[in-house]
Amino acid sequence: MVRPYRFSLEEFLRLPLPERGVELLRGEIYQMAPIGSRHADLVDRWAEVLLRTFSGRARVRIQGPFAIPPDTYLEPDLLLCQLKDYRERYPVPDEVLLAIEVADTSLEYDLGRKVPLYAQGGVLEVWVQDLTQGRLLVFRGPAGDHYREQLWLSPGEKLAPLAFADIPLEVPW
């Protein structure tokens, strides 16, 4: 019988892979599509807002690695993390205050594969900016492989992350 080999996080991190664009989801390796100009621009806009708003209150990680042990390595577009030293390790789910994914061609992948992993890992809140429909999909309250609360917002509307309920952010476009 032929079976695929499932990598652990440690094995994956030892592989000679490209620096960006590869993720490990439940032991399986996925090559990411190249980032388009609309995607990159929106990540830049979110980064500017998060850095300006949360400087000194949280760490903003832009398209950096994030681990969900034992077999998942993601490269979300943005993470808002607790103020900790991540020089020797990646943030783990209970340190992530907000994960943001920007989706153009990757919406099905982000919603069908990544959001359930965030939930299973216990990430408090995930926002997926859907470039094709012009909306922000908000997922809150992890429960198993899904989120209990789901909201849709339009550009210009405001919403505060759960971890900073006193700081509403405007949805960029």
Side-chain angles (χ1 to χ4, degrees):
M1 173 186 272
V2 178
R3 292 186 196 160
Y5 182 80
R6 299 183 86 73
F7 291 88
S8 70
L9 183 57
E10 292 78 23
E11 290 171 321
F12 173 79
L13 294 173
R14 288 193 303 262
L15 292 174
L17 296 169
E19 194 170 311
R20 281 221 22 90
V22 178
E23 294 184 317
L24 180 71
L25 280 68
R26 292 189 184 126
E28 296 179 348
I29 297 173
Y30 290 83
Q31 178 71 48
M32 303 300 297
I35 295 173
S37 60
R38 288 179 57 211
H39 182 128
D41 181 68
L42 195 52
V43 170
D44 290 347
R45 289 171 190 257
W46 272 118
E48 290 168 7
V49 168
L50 295 179
L51 288 166
R52 183 177 60 247
T53 306
F54 298 107
S55 178
R57 296 183 75 178
R59 173 73 58 89
V60 177
R61 179 165 276 214
I62 304 164
Q63 294 180 326
F66 164 61
I68 303 175
D71 60 359
T72 298
Y73 167 98
L74 303 172
E75 291 186 350
D77 289 306
L78 296 135
L79 286 179
L80 196 59
C81 302
Q82 294 174 359
L83 279 176
K84 291 189 176 184
D85 184 349
Y86 298 108
R87 284 180 282 193
E88 302 295 324
R89 64 183 183 81
Y90 301 126
V92 293
D94 65 350
E95 297 168 329
V96 174
L97 306 171
L98 172 65
I100 299 176
E101 296 282 358
V102 175
D104 193 356
T105 60
S106 65
L107 185 63
E108 184 177 322
Y109 173 77
D110 289 339
L111 295 178
R113 295 193 182 265
K114 291 177 80 172
V115 169
L117 288 173
Y118 285 122
Q120 286 177 338
V123 174
L124 180 66
E125 184 170 16
V126 178
W127 294 0
V128 179
Q129 184 100 35
D130 176 4
L131 291 175
T132 60
Q133 298 293 316
R135 61 189 176 173
L136 179 69
L137 308 172
V138 176
F139 300 90
R140 295 174 156 181
D145 66 351
H146 65 282
Y147 284 87
R148 293 175 196 242
E149 183 179 359
Q150 297 179 22
L151 307 167
W152 293 14
L153 283 85
S154 297
E157 290 188 87
K158 292 185 177 186
L159 180 70
L162 290 174
F164 296 100
D166 60 325
I167 305 176
L169 303 176
E170 184 173 324
V171 178
W173 187 249

